[in-house]
Amino acid sequence: MQDTKIFSNYLASKIAEFNFDKFYTKSNRILLHVFMWLSFSILLSLSYVLAYQLSYFNAFILTVRMTTVNMIVFYMFFYLLLPKIFSGGKARMVILLLFTFIVSIFVWMAVTYFFSLLYHSLGFEILKGELKGAIGMSASQTFLQAISIKRMFSQAFIIISILSPFFFVKILFEISKLYNKTLNIQSQKSALEIQNVNIEKNFLKAQLNPHFLFNTLNNLYGLSIKKDDSTPEVILNLSDIMSYTLYESNTEKVALEKELDFIKNYFELEKMRYSANKNIQFHIPQGEDLSGLYIAPLLTFTFIENAFKYGLKGNKEQFIYLNIKVQDRTFYFELENDVEQGIKDNEFGGIGVTNVRKRLQLLYPNKHQLDIENLETKFKVNLKIDLD
């Protein structure tokens, strides 16, 4: 089952990569059609010679007749009648399709009859084998006898069996062409969505840097006035954050360890802005073996920023709790904060949360679970991502 899925995905990717517009030019289209009818003619001639014991000349004239008839019906159906069938409603389409089927059989039998008249007037006849006298017998009929309803019914299945290979090849080719265009459109749509998400991510980073600079520099100023011993550590944290947001988060995925360091540094800097009675707690894996694990950068930042923006303002308990775990190559993110009563989901989430959802869907399809709860007095975010 897995091998079949892998093969299907591989086949789909190859069809998507194939450029039909570049390949199916006018000259190539003519060559392909010539090759199709030439192959049919050769196989039909061999069949007449080997199966019906006809002479090469008789095989040739019958092949010319059959190939010409099939070509007329094929091009009439696909290039003249079929485009008009799909230009209306369903009822009209069914009626026209039935009418086209009848017309195709009529044309096939009529052209075959006229070929028999032509061959008979030229003195051509099959003199031996199973088809002995077939041209004369066909030419001896009147036109109305040759295309009678009874004869059309009797010949319908034979005509379908003769034309079906050409119809099958044409339909298969058109389906592949349509599938290719569909995959290309989906690919372009996904690329555009990723581009939009990256634009939004870059906009987020542009907002993030001034935010940090403004708040943290004020804190640094206060610490320097006090000659606080933690000033060097704050400067180092700020340097790490600026380096990460400006240079290291420009890729689709970053090392998980770097992302966790960024979150830790952000919490440390934000925590400085609040008094000790604000309950700000966070648990982030430190010293664990996270090698080989990668995650989309700044993916959880919107939730963290919103927690500080809307949290720590409740009438009762004021808190922010963050707990991050990494188990079995799965990233678990749990965040809770108090909120003022009456804040709506769209006020808390906004464009940032919508952006996160889009990034998760694009980067981790079927590999993530995001639950957001807006309760009366607190806001909860639970995110799980399979990092494989």
Side-chain angles (χ1 to χ4, degrees):
M1 186 69 178
Q2 186 67 20
D3 292 340
T4 304
K5 185 177 180 180
I6 293 173
F7 177 75
S8 299
N9 292 337
Y10 174 78
L11 184 61
S13 66
K14 288 301 179 183
I15 293 176
E17 291 172 6
F18 186 74
N19 191 335
F20 269 90
D21 293 330
K22 185 177 180 181
F23 168 76
Y24 204 50
T25 60
K26 184 177 181 180
S27 57
N28 285 346
R29 185 161 60 248
I30 293 172
L31 287 174
L32 285 172
H33 282 244
V34 169
F35 175 77
M36 179 178 72
W37 294 115
L38 186 61
S39 300
F40 170 75
S41 299
I42 293 172
L43 292 174
L44 185 61
S45 296
L46 291 174
S47 174
Y48 281 137
V49 171
L50 299 176
Y52 294 98
Q53 306 297 317
L54 298 184
S55 66
Y56 288 107
F57 178 77
N58 284 340
F60 172 75
I61 62 173
L62 291 184
T63 298
V64 170
R65 182 186 69 173
M66 185 66 71
T67 303
T68 304
V69 171
N70 287 344
M71 289 175 65
I72 291 172
V73 174
F74 177 84
Y75 290 112
M76 180 191 70
F77 180 84
F78 280 105
Y79 294 92
L80 182 62
L81 300 177
L82 195 61
K84 297 180 180 179
I85 291 176
F86 297 102
S87 60
K90 291 183 179 179
R92 180 177 181 273
M93 184 177 68
V94 172
I95 294 172
L96 286 178
L97 192 61
L98 180 61
F99 175 75
T100 302
F101 177 72
I102 295 172
V103 169
S104 297
I105 295 176
F106 170 81
V107 171
W108 196 94
M109 296 180 66
V111 176
T112 301
Y113 173 72
F114 289 130
F115 259 100
S116 298
L117 291 178
L118 175 64
Y119 285 172
H120 185 68
S121 65
L122 294 174
F124 299 158
E125 186 56 87
I126 301 172
L127 302 176
K128 62 177 182 177
E130 295 181 30
L131 301 179
K132 181 179 178 180
I135 295 176
M137 289 171 55
S138 178
S140 64
Q141 302 175 98
T142 65
F143 179 72
L144 292 178
Q145 289 175 331
I147 54 117
S148 65
I149 295 177
K150 180 179 179 181
R151 185 167 173 76
M152 287 178 66
F153 273 109
S154 65
Q155 295 293 310
F157 291 104
I158 297 175
I159 296 170
I160 292 171
S161 64
I162 293 173
L163 287 172
S164 58
F166 307 104
F167 279 53
F168 174 77
V169 171
K170 177 64 175 176
I171 293 171
L172 181 63
F173 185 84
E174 292 298 328
I175 290 174
S176 299
K177 187 178 178 181
L178 180 62
Y179 185 52
N180 171 261
K181 287 185 177 180
T182 302
L183 290 177
N184 282 330
I185 290 172
Q186 290 176 347
S187 177
Q188 292 171 7
K189 182 180 178 182
S190 296
L192 183 60
E193 288 178 347
I194 291 173
Q195 183 181 11
N196 290 337
V197 167
N198 286 334
I199 290 172
E200 292 169 357
K201 186 184 77 173
N202 292 333
F203 178 72
L204 173 66
K205 289 163 62 177
Q207 288 182 311
L208 176 68
N209 297 329
H211 174 78
F212 270 112
L213 284 173
F214 179 77
N215 290 306
T216 308
L217 289 176
N218 278 338
N219 290 330
L220 277 172
Y221 176 75
L223 292 173
S224 64
I225 293 295
K226 298 177 184 177
K227 300 187 184 299
D228 195 300
D229 293 338
S230 64
T231 302
E233 183 181 352
V234 173
I235 294 174
L236 183 61
N237 284 351
L238 178 61
S239 174
D240 289 341
I241 285 175
M242 297 301 294
S243 174
Y244 182 79
T245 56
L246 286 173
Y247 306 113
E248 299 182 44
S249 64
N250 291 324
T251 58
E252 185 178 293
K253 301 284 180 68
V254 295
L256 178 59
E257 191 172 2
K258 289 183 178 293
E259 179 73 8
L260 295 180
D261 286 340
F262 164 78
I263 295 174
K264 176 179 177 295
N265 289 333
Y266 180 85
F267 256 83
E268 292 286 1
L269 289 176
E270 286 284 12
K271 194 173 181 180
M272 291 173 51
R273 297 170 51 200
Y274 299 94
S275 58
N277 65 332
K278 304 290 185 179
N279 190 1
I280 302 174
Q281 300 181 27
F282 60 93
H283 176 265
I284 299 173
Q286 295 290 318
E288 298 181 15
D289 184 15
L290 302 176
S291 59
L293 295 179
Y294 294 86
I295 194 170
L298 305 175
L299 192 58
T300 60
F301 176 73
T302 293
F303 302 127
I304 296 171
E305 186 183 44
N306 283 345
F308 282 100
K309 181 178 180 181
Y310 296 99
L312 306 175
K313 297 178 182 178
N315 297 325
K316 297 181 180 179
E317 187 180 5
Q318 299 178 349
F319 66 91
I320 295 178
Y321 301 145
L322 172 66
N323 184 35
I324 295 177
K325 296 185 297 182
V326 180
Q327 295 178 348
D328 300 325
R329 303 182 69 84
T330 302
F331 174 81
Y332 296 91
F333 176 90
E334 301 172 2
L335 180 64
E336 292 186 25
N337 61 272
D338 67 295
V339 291
E340 293 180 285
Q341 290 186 356
I343 288 191
K344 300 177 182 178
D345 288 343
N346 57 351
E347 293 178 352
F348 188 92
I351 297 174
V353 174
T354 302
N355 178 40
V356 173
R357 291 186 187 277
K358 286 193 290 185
R359 291 183 69 196
L360 285 169
Q361 191 60 40
L362 288 168
L363 299 174
Y364 300 100
N366 303 318
K367 288 189 174 183
H368 76 277
Q369 181 179 339
L370 175 62
D371 297 315
I372 299 177
E373 296 181 82
N374 188 0
L375 306 176
E376 284 190 16
T377 58
K378 66 180 178 179
F379 201 91
K380 296 177 63 177
V381 177
N382 284 281
L383 173 62
K384 182 176 73 171
I385 302 175
D386 183 0
L387 299 179
D388 284 331

